[in-house]
Amino acid sequence: MKIYRKMAVLHDALIASAALSLVMSAPALAQNAPQDASDDGASEPADPGEIVVTALKSGSVRLDKVPLAIQAFNGDVLKQRNVRDGADLIQLIPGASQAQEIGAGYRIFSFRGSGAGGPIGDGLIGYYLDDTPFGVPNNQAAPPVQYFDIDRVEVLRGPQGTLYGLGSSAGTIIYHTKNPDLDQVTYAGELELSKSAEASDPNYRGAAAISLPLVPGKLGLRVSGGYDRRAGVADIYSGAPTGTPREKDANHVTSKDIQAVLLWKPDELTSVRTRFWYFATDQKYLNVINSLDPPFAAFQGDVVGFDKRRAWYASNTIEREFGGVTLTNATSYQKSLPGGFQVGLNLGAPLGTGVLINGGDARNFVNELRLATNDGGPFKGVAGVFYQNARSLYTFSLTFPAFGLNGQTITKTENAAIFSEASYELFDGKVVPLVGLRYFKDRREADSISNGVRVQSKARPDALTWRANLAINPSPNWMVFFNAGTGFRSGILQSQAQADAVIADGVPSGISLTPDKLRNLEVGMKGSVLDGDLRVAVSLYDIKYTNIQSAFNTSIGLAAFANLGDGKAQGIDMELTWRTPLKGFTLNAIGNINDSKFTRVRPAFAGADPRISNGLRLLNTPTHNFRLDASYEQPIGNATLFATSSATFIGRSRLGDATVNEINPYELYQASIGVRFDRYEVRLFGDNLSDLRGPTSANGPTLLAGPRPRTIGVTFRLNTN
């Protein structure tokens, strides 16, 4: 309790300081010149070596000067590479994979073997919307971001335990949304029409944005939104997949969102940014089905499956400069509305066909207050306090003709952290050491009811995470860095009945699992040759996972949780960008090769699940992933002709389901060609050109998921000059 009182006092003092600074700045409103309409200078220029990122929270830094395994993609690159959802983005990241997929609104991703324990517990990848995290306890799902109005995405691989803390032990993805233009009216629009193999109906989507300077140079509003409908491809059978299906092309998806960003810059030193976002993703039936080629779901009885996700998210960020430092206060509130999924299950005799329903809702309040240097001197530092208060409700219902099970779990967390990172440039910036610490304290409790029996549990985990970094700059164009750090995740809470069932099987467990941790050692280099036309980045990493939390299938059939043991992941990440001698022709490549395995599995756990034992490969971790992108642009009169293509290669991976032991290696291919003139663009594209069906993930032999069948379409875009 003492740490909470101390943090509360510090938090209140800093909030008061931020408010006072705004009051003091008010008389200067009429005296300051209008500011540049750009958001924070972090958009991507033509030269990829000049990309600017803000992930270090201590100001804007050129991407090639950040001594971390980090990537950044601006909005134009995301559109060029046809990124529509998280599964598309993951293909651009070395060592990343999809650990689970249920419906269009529920996907879980993994970095560098972090998915070894399965899709359970708190998140392992931190998802940040601008300055604050998106996520709730006991949920690893990525936010269903709509990429139309994204300014850039920054991806940090490896633990981010000091600056981003809980939820970012494997890495962090930061989505930066576009700011209003404070000086002029701007607008953008996009329409797309396409047709997928196996679908009777077309896919179509539209999105638009408008930015208005309400008070020129001072206050601006940007409003954007979109609607996306993807036609269904799977047929639904009440029983065996014979005869006429009950429904054809049934698993269609409708996604929609709207957001508004209000930016106020009362003077040169102050900015206030408020954002509101609402999204809804509705799918009839699911992405996981019995067969992918041809696509169908069988033995569904009269169950109408669905996946529904809805949430609204509000945030506010205040920044104020004081001489050589910047004070930032970022607040957000997330409300996940009631939703979930429903699916028919055929478990054979004697249970027969039943229905599984998972649902719930959540809320999440977050506030971070930090102070960072901004004077460009040799010393750079950031320090702050973080507070979170979140609650999630999970419900389940499993109903068969002669059997039923239902219940719910409410998980609450109230946690706080203090953090700091500092670096100093030695020898005119040729050597830059950095150290960072974060202390985290959590108060967590769970209230579970299963078939009317209530069980309560609580835990008080804490952790001290650290990071040490050494950057060496032997020349202006090259950097070598060493990075070491740790990550942490609070333990899962379960019922006493679950804990007793695990213990009866000889595996130590309890109502509160031991938090899992990881330690990362990494050495990398990045730089350019050929006058910047060829840029490379390479990272070698060694990760040790300790006390991995995992689901455990007990001998009495009750699903429960336990710490399975330890694991490791060793690998190499590679990135390359080459502006070839052929003018307008650019190649981009990413890749990862890794050796990941369990190193110390508890004997009883291995006895219950022999697929998890010492020396076996980590689950949900492909042996490799590679992607090659090629783009070409050629001016023709007043227009520009462009073409793009990509090839993605994913290695073999082991799954947690014994009946679907592995996902075989697979490849995905894309291409597009179009013309751009004045403010307009038209593009013809093809996705999954080889019509790969998969599976690319599986939750069981009748719950298979794969990429969308071959899709051909056309896109129209409009942008303000």
Side-chain angles (χ1 to χ4, degrees):
M1 292 295 294
K2 291 182 179 179
I3 184 173
Y4 284 96
R5 295 192 188 102
K6 292 178 180 178
M7 288 182 176
V9 171
L10 179 57
H11 175 269
D12 292 344
L14 290 172
I15 287 287
S17 176
L20 179 61
S21 69
L22 286 177
V23 173
M24 293 173 63
S25 68
L29 292 182
Q31 302 175 23
N32 291 285
Q35 300 302 300
D36 188 277
S38 62
D39 52 0
D40 56 9
S43 61
E44 180 181 70
D47 183 352
E50 297 296 327
I51 302 174
V52 175
V53 296
T54 56
L56 298 183
K57 297 189 177 183
S58 57
S60 299
V61 183
R62 277 177 43 181
L63 181 65
D64 58 358
K65 296 300 181 183
V66 179
L68 289 175
I70 180 173
Q71 295 168 278
F73 310 97
N74 79 346
D76 290 339
V77 170
L78 295 171
K79 292 175 182 177
Q80 180 190 75
R81 300 185 188 180
N82 213 18
V83 173
R84 293 194 189 90
D85 56 34
D88 296 329
L89 179 69
I90 286 298
Q91 295 178 24
L92 306 178
I93 304 171
S97 60
Q98 180 168 275
Q100 188 181 62
E101 176 180 359
I102 293 177
Y106 191 90
R107 288 187 169 98
I108 294 174
F109 304 116
S110 169
F111 284 1
R112 296 176 170 179
S114 62
I120 61 169
D122 288 5
L124 287 158
I125 297 175
Y127 301 100
Y128 273 67
L129 303 179
D130 299 306
D131 292 297
T132 50
F134 181 100
V136 294
N138 280 338
N139 192 334
Q140 295 190 35
V145 171
Q146 305 300 310
Y147 286 81
F148 168 75
D149 213 34
I150 291 291
D151 181 67
R152 73 188 185 280
V153 177
E154 299 177 19
V155 181
L156 294 85
R157 307 188 300 275
Q160 307 301 318
T162 52
L163 291 183
Y164 294 95
L166 183 70
S168 292
S169 60
T172 304
I173 300 178
I174 309 165
Y175 305 91
H176 293 277
T177 50
K178 290 184 178 179
N179 271 344
D181 190 312
L182 300 185
D183 295 317
Q184 61 182 338
V185 176
T186 63
Y187 49 87
E190 185 171 283
L191 293 173
E192 185 172 288
L193 182 67
S194 64
K195 179 69 167 58
S196 300
E198 303 288 353
S200 300
D201 298 326
N203 314 303
Y204 53 89
R205 67 186 183 97
I210 184 168
S211 179
L212 303 171
L214 304 179
V215 179
K218 300 291 186 182
L219 182 67
L221 174 68
R222 184 178 182 91
V223 180
S224 62
Y227 183 92
D228 186 351
R229 181 176 175 84
R230 302 192 193 186
V233 298
D235 295 340
I236 308 299
Y237 293 88
S238 296
T242 59
T244 302
R246 174 161 60 85
E247 293 188 57
K248 291 184 66 64
D249 299 341
N251 60 339
H252 56 78
V253 182
T254 300
S255 301
K256 50 192 174 184
D257 83 311
I258 185 169
Q259 74 170 0
V261 177
L262 185 69
L263 178 64
W264 178 38
K265 290 190 174 182
D267 57 50
E268 294 180 353
L269 304 178
T270 310
S271 70
V272 181
R273 186 183 194 269
T274 302
R275 177 177 180 246
F276 177 84
W277 178 45
Y278 171 82
F279 71 81
T281 301
D282 293 284
Q283 180 167 16
K284 191 175 183 182
Y285 298 96
L286 303 176
N287 284 347
V288 286
I289 50 183
N290 295 68
S291 169
L292 298 171
D293 192 12
F296 66 77
F299 300 101
Q300 295 297 293
D302 59 358
V303 176
V304 179
F306 62 79
D307 181 42
K308 298 179 183 293
R309 313 284 166 177
R310 291 176 174 82
W312 60 265
Y313 186 93
S315 64
N316 180 261
T317 299
I318 303 171
E319 287 190 355
R320 171 72 179 184
E321 293 186 18
F322 297 91
V325 297
T326 299
L327 182 68
T328 302
N329 189 81
T331 305
S332 68
Y333 185 80
Q334 172 187 339
K335 179 68 174 178
S336 298
L337 304 178
F341 70 88
Q342 173 174 290
V343 63
L345 290 179
N346 175 37
L347 299 184
L351 293 177
T353 299
V355 57
L356 169 65
I357 304 174
N358 276 359
D361 56 45
R363 61 166 174 79
N364 182 31
F365 172 80
V366 165
N367 194 89
E368 178 174 295
L369 186 62
R370 64 180 184 268
L371 196 66
T373 58
N374 65 16
D375 60 2
F379 174 78
K380 292 180 175 60
V382 58
V385 293
F386 177 91
Y387 174 80
Q388 179 185 34
N389 189 314
R391 172 194 178 276
S392 67
L393 167 66
Y394 164 74
T395 64
F396 70 91
S397 173
L398 186 61
T399 306
F400 288 88
F403 170 77
L405 181 65
N406 63 81
Q408 68 173 40
T409 298
I410 298 174
T411 304
K412 298 178 181 179
T413 177
E414 183 179 16
N415 61 75
I418 54 176
F419 63 92
S420 178
E421 279 194 353
S423 66
Y424 195 87
E425 298 178 359
L426 303 173
F427 310 111
D428 294 325
K430 293 188 180 298
V431 178
V432 185
L434 176 146
V435 293
L437 290 172
R438 186 183 189 103
Y439 178 70
F440 165 87
K441 182 71 175 178
D442 196 359
R443 294 190 300 181
R444 183 165 293 214
E445 59 185 49
D447 189 345
S448 299
I449 299 176
S450 181
N451 276 5
V453 179
R454 182 180 182 185
V455 177
Q456 295 177 298
S457 55
K458 61 180 60 178
R460 300 291 185 266
D462 66 339
L464 180 67
T465 53
W466 56 268
R467 185 165 82 93
N469 186 284
L470 180 65
I472 301 174
N473 301 282
S475 73
N477 297 327
W478 286 94
M479 168 188 286
V480 178
F481 66 86
F482 172 78
N483 188 57
T486 58
F488 167 87
R489 181 170 63 145
S490 290
I492 295 172
L493 300 180
Q494 62 183 342
S495 70
Q496 188 64 55
Q498 290 173 303
D500 291 343
V502 176
I503 294 170
D505 285 345
V507 177
S509 191
I511 60 174
S512 175
L513 265 61
T514 301
D516 45 18
K517 303 178 181 180
L518 67 85
R519 182 271 297 151
N520 178 54
L521 302 177
E522 189 163 0
V523 60
M525 72 170 188
K526 55 180 67 175
S528 64
V529 294
L530 304 177
D531 293 327
D533 287 341
L534 179 61
R535 296 184 177 273
V536 297
V538 180
S539 298
L540 290 87
Y541 59 87
D542 179 284
I543 299 176
K544 180 180 179 181
Y545 295 97
T546 305
N547 292 321
I548 299 171
Q549 300 180 65
S550 176
F552 184 83
N553 294 319
T554 65
S555 58
I556 64 172
L558 180 64
F561 307 103
N563 295 102
L564 69 83
D566 304 336
K568 71 175 183 179
Q570 298 172 321
I572 179 171
D573 291 344
M574 299 160 283
E575 304 169 55
L576 178 147
T577 298
W578 182 28
R579 291 185 301 195
T580 70
L582 178 60
K583 188 174 182 180
F585 183 50
T586 302
L587 294 175
N588 292 275
I590 63 98
N592 167 271
I593 302 173
N594 69 84
D595 177 25
S596 305
K597 62 185 65 175
F598 294 106
T599 56
R600 185 192 63 84
V601 177
R602 293 183 172 182
F605 204 112
D609 187 352
R611 299 179 63 258
I612 299 177
S613 61
N614 295 344
L616 291 183
R617 185 168 185 82
L618 296 183
L619 303 178
N620 303 305
T621 308
T623 56
H624 62 268
N625 74 310
F626 296 98
R627 174 162 168 145
L628 177 66
D629 284 87
S631 62
Y632 178 71
E633 289 195 0
Q634 177 63 51
I636 302 177
N638 294 326
T640 299
L641 177 69
F642 64 88
T644 68
S645 63
S646 71
T648 302
F649 305 91
I650 309 296
R652 188 181 305 275
S653 63
R654 300 176 64 242
L655 298 184
D657 186 86
T659 57
V660 185
N661 186 54
E662 290 184 331
I663 294 295
N664 290 326
Y666 62 91
E667 301 86 35
L668 293 168
Y669 302 96
Q670 295 179 336
S672 70
I673 187 171
V675 62
R676 187 182 306 116
F677 51 94
D678 193 20
R679 298 173 295 163
Y680 307 97
E681 178 184 307
V682 58
R683 181 183 70 122
L684 177 68
F685 69 90
D687 292 340
N688 190 11
L689 292 174
S690 64
D691 203 20
L692 173 79
R693 299 300 177 91
T696 56
S697 65
N699 299 313
T702 63
L703 298 171
L704 308 174
R708 190 166 187 81
R710 181 192 296 119
T711 300
I712 307 297
V714 61
T715 306
F716 303 91
R717 292 189 176 121
L718 166 66
N719 288 285
T720 304
N721 284 334

